[in-house]
Amino acid sequence: MLMKILFGVAVVLLAFIAFVATRPSTFKVERSTTMSAPPSVVFALVADFHKVGTWSPFLKPDSTRKDNYAGTPATVGHSIAWVSSDNANEGKMTIVSLNPPEQLQLELEFIKPFKATNGTVFRFERAGNGTTVTWVMSGQNGFLNKAVSVFMDMDKMVGSSFEEGLATLKNLAEAEAKTAAQAAPNDALVGDPAK
């Protein structure tokens, strides 16, 4: 009887492993939104990692996390490395290429709780007087990620965080654009004797 149970468990396990092996070997999560702010304003909020914590749900302020910034914002090599003692979270994000204010490409390295390297791209496309921002993350699906994807929809899980981040980014960018627009007429008056 015990042998039959063990044999049954082994068959189920092998079937599960075989099924997991058929899952996609790559993944891609993509979300977009349009905001009433010029590309330069939005780009500045994304290309400076000191500012990313104000809108990204992945880098929300955390008293247990230590952040280490390197390089000049909005340049290749600018990075943020983090270590969190609370949830054993460790990683690094680095700008690897950029074309201001149209595109920004990042390398996202996860060290803990699991190792992975994913590519992330932000595209900023003019849409009338505003900007359409597209946030894309892609990478390889190892066996563990494939197994997890059987039970959880990664696109839905990560995508909802992208949507949250883009909504916050939209609010910040639009507020900055509005402030700049209100200040512009006043700046034009300063030092102009004809006014």
Side-chain angles (χ1 to χ4, degrees), residues 25-29 58 82 91-96 104-111 114-122 135-142 145 154 158 162:
S25 58
T26 60
F27 73 88
K28 180 179 177 182
V29 179
F58 301 108
W82 65 88
K92 184 178 182 181
M93 184 166 62
T94 307
I95 296 177
V96 293
L104 183 68
Q105 185 172 346
L106 313 172
E107 181 180 76
L108 185 55
E109 300 172 82
F110 296 102
I111 300 167
F114 56 87
K115 288 191 176 184
T117 301
N118 298 329
T120 301
V121 176
F122 285 89
W135 185 357
V136 184
M137 184 173 70
S138 58
Q140 297 295 315
N141 265 335
N145 285 351
M154 183 170 179
V158 177
F162 279 21

Side-chain angles (χ1 to χ4, degrees), residues 41-100:
V41 170
V42 190
F43 183 91
L45 288 167
V46 179
D48 183 349
F49 294 154
H50 298 88
K51 297 178 179 178
V52 170
T54 62
W55 60 266
S56 173
F58 301 108
L59 286 174
K60 286 180 178 177
D62 177 356
S63 60
T64 68
R65 192 183 70 229
K66 291 183 180 178
D67 296 331
N68 183 29
Y69 299 92
T72 304
T75 63
V76 171
H78 179 47
S79 67
I80 176 175
W82 65 88
V83 178
S84 176
S85 58
D86 188 39
N87 54 11
N89 189 337
E90 184 176 353
K92 184 178 182 181
M93 184 166 62
T94 307
I95 296 177
V96 293
S97 73
L98 68 166
N99 180 22

